[in-house]
Amino acid sequence: MRNAECPFPLSLYIYIKQLVRMRKLKVGITCGDINGIGMEVILKALDDARVLHHSVPIIYGSSKIVSYHKNIVEPESFRSQNIKDASQAVDDRINILNCWNENVNIQLGEATKESGSYASMALEACTNDALQEKIDCMVTAPINKHAMSLAGFRYVGHTEYLKDRCRAEKVLMMMCSEEMKVCLSSGHIPIQNVSSVSSKEKLISQLKLLISTLQMDHGIDKPRIAVLGMQPHAGDNGTIGDEDERITKPAVAELKEQGHLVFGPYPADGFYGRLSHKKFDAIMAAYHDQGLIPFKMASFGHGVNMTCGLPIIRSSPDHGTGYDIAGKNQADPSSFRAAYYMAMDASRNRFEYLKNHENPLKRDQELPSDDN
């Protein structure tokens, strides 16, 4: 039997299409803070020959930094090659793209201007290549906010930087694991400000972004979303604050009318206590600790931070720079490994989705400049 699109037998045609779909993805990896555990978990995660069967890893940093940390980790099957451009990456080696050539003074466990500066260089180079589609996705190793600030980095963190560089209208942090996916309606802000930065329109916009991300990057056609109440007992019908009556309930009702599977608001304590998260594809938490305490209790050490709303795929491990154990060869690579493979899965899912759907995350053709 033959396919009208191709003169080959159908079985061969399907096989060729599968090969194209399963081609090795180029995964950009930022080195993160060179004084922390970032390079250690990168080396440990990539110290597996099977990684090269499915991907082409490109570490953005310096071969000298890699060599320094290799002496600590002593990987068994880490075969690398230095390159000057992502186009030179080979598929049977760990590729190291040198973002600088000078010698670096590594001060393990310390936040320094130098560590922030080099982390910024690696992030800029990797982001540029992602925007120019030289790589398929990027995984960012942890940075230290104080070190980045010392180096003149003017963003709170990765998410804010990438939002600006990608000219994204809005972004969301989504923490992912096998146990649950959690988004935060409000991020790193004082608890007393949560109510003032919330609105029905903002919550609807965030939930639509979450829905489109689950469809596009995670392959969930009709995602079920649970929305947690802002107040204890979800406001108890206005008895404990009126935010859930004014904001959460109307937002959920409007999205339901549009055909989305959005439910709530749920009192957070009972929701988690009854393990109701198992019935949903994702959760929208009202504020930081409401979402991340349960997530980290269930998933710490193997969770992944994904950024929703970007025209590029970006993931990161769920931990920080680990200054207290830097250089001691004690860091667990599980979270970084999960972030690596989740970025690949999201990249493939998005490719398949965009073959049949319009891209909801279009960006301007002209790339924004980076004046860091």
Side-chain angles (χ1 to χ4, degrees):
M1 181 177 179
R2 298 179 185 274
N3 186 284
E5 299 179 55
C6 179
F8 302 124
L10 182 60
S11 59
L12 178 58
Y13 174 71
I14 293 173
Y15 176 68
I16 293 173
K17 288 192 71 175
Q18 288 176 336
L19 284 180
V20 172
R21 183 168 60 249
M22 296 303 292
R23 69 175 177 84
K24 291 185 180 182
L25 299 181
K26 287 185 177 180
V27 183
I29 304 166
T30 64
C31 65
D33 191 300
I34 60 174
N35 293 338
I37 62 172
M39 188 53 65
E40 179 180 332
V41 297
I42 291 170
L43 292 172
K44 288 179 176 178
L46 299 183
D47 188 25
D48 184 337
R50 292 173 296 181
V51 170
L52 298 178
H53 294 166
H54 311 289
S55 62
V56 182
I58 305 174
I59 298 175
Y60 288 75
S62 161
S63 58
K64 296 174 183 177
I65 298 297
V66 173
S67 295
Y68 179 94
H69 287 275
K70 276 178 65 178
N71 289 331
I72 297 172
V73 176
E74 297 182 347
E76 296 179 358
S77 57
F78 189 92
R79 298 183 300 166
S80 63
Q81 169 176 298
N82 294 337
I83 60 175
K84 294 181 179 180
D85 187 270
S87 62
Q88 300 172 346
V90 296
D91 62 4
D92 62 347
R93 293 285 190 277
I94 309 298
N95 297 274
I96 303 172
L97 196 153
N98 287 288
C99 301
W100 65 86
N101 294 311
E102 65 267 24
N103 291 321
V104 177
N105 181 26
I106 295 178
Q107 298 174 259
L108 291 173
E110 295 186 27
T112 65
K113 178 180 178 180
E114 289 73 21
S115 68
S117 177
Y118 291 120
S120 179
M121 289 183 193
L123 176 59
E124 178 183 351
C126 188
T127 303
N128 287 341
D129 281 356
L131 286 169
Q132 295 171 18
E133 299 181 352
K134 291 184 177 181
I135 57 177
D136 296 289
C137 52
M138 60 187 291
V139 186
T140 57
I143 57 176
N144 179 273
K145 289 180 173 60
H146 180 56
M148 299 297 282
S149 177
L150 291 174
F153 190 74
R154 60 187 177 89
Y155 300 92
V156 176
H158 282 117
T159 302
E160 293 77 12
Y161 170 84
L162 291 168
K163 179 179 184 293
D164 188 28
R165 287 298 316 281
C166 295
R167 291 181 177 172
E169 181 181 353
K170 54 185 176 292
V171 295
L172 277 174
M173 179 176 74
M174 180 165 64
M175 302 301 294
C176 307
S177 71
E178 292 184 1
E179 289 79 10
M180 66 180 82
K181 294 180 176 66
V182 179
C183 267
L184 306 178
S185 183
S186 59
H188 295 96
I189 63 171
I191 190 69
Q192 66 264 27
N193 296 343
V194 171
S195 177
S196 63
V197 302
S198 302
S199 69
K200 184 190 84 169
E201 293 73 23
K202 178 182 177 182
L203 181 56
I204 288 174
S205 177
Q206 291 174 328
L207 286 166
K208 286 184 175 180
L209 175 57
L210 173 56
I211 291 166
S212 66
T213 299
L214 292 170
Q215 292 172 333
M216 183 165 58
D217 295 346
H218 296 269
I220 304 172
D221 184 46
K222 291 286 287 185
R224 292 173 55 86
I225 312 294
V227 183
L228 302 184
M230 193 178 303
Q231 296 290 356
H233 305 289
D236 206 0
N237 295 313
T239 305
I240 311 174
D242 66 348
E243 290 85 356
D244 290 303
E245 297 297 317
R246 291 188 296 106
I247 298 171
T248 318
K249 286 184 179 180
V252 170
E254 185 168 325
L255 288 170
K256 276 187 175 180
E257 289 178 2
Q258 296 175 13
H260 298 295
L261 302 180
V262 179
F263 304 91
Y266 294 101
D269 56 347
F271 179 85
Y272 291 118
R274 290 190 294 270
L275 304 180
S276 297
H277 64 275
K278 295 178 180 289
K279 302 176 184 178
F280 296 90
D281 297 301
I283 302 161
M284 179 65 76
Y287 54 91
H288 185 277
D289 285 10
Q290 186 188 65
L292 293 195
I293 289 176
F295 177 84
K296 292 195 174 184
M297 287 184 67
S299 311
F300 193 75
H302 60 273
V304 176
N305 180 358
M306 297 285 290
T307 305
C308 306
L310 298 176
I312 60 178
I313 302 292
R314 177 258 171 167
S315 69
S316 70
D318 67 356
H319 56 73
T321 53
Y323 279 161
D324 57 324
I325 58 171
K328 298 180 181 179
N329 200 17
Q330 297 175 2
D332 184 348
S334 300
S335 182
F336 184 88
R337 184 182 296 113
Y340 188 91
Y341 284 108
M342 188 169 291
M344 291 175 58
D345 288 342
S347 183
R348 289 197 175 101
N349 286 335
R350 185 176 291 194
F351 176 79
E352 292 295 322
Y353 181 90
L354 293 180
K355 289 195 299 186
N356 302 306
H357 301 83
E358 184 178 354
N359 188 350
L361 304 174
K362 288 181 178 178
R363 60 169 170 81
D364 296 339
Q365 292 299 313
E366 183 180 352
L367 297 179
S369 62
D370 187 359
D371 56 1
N372 289 324

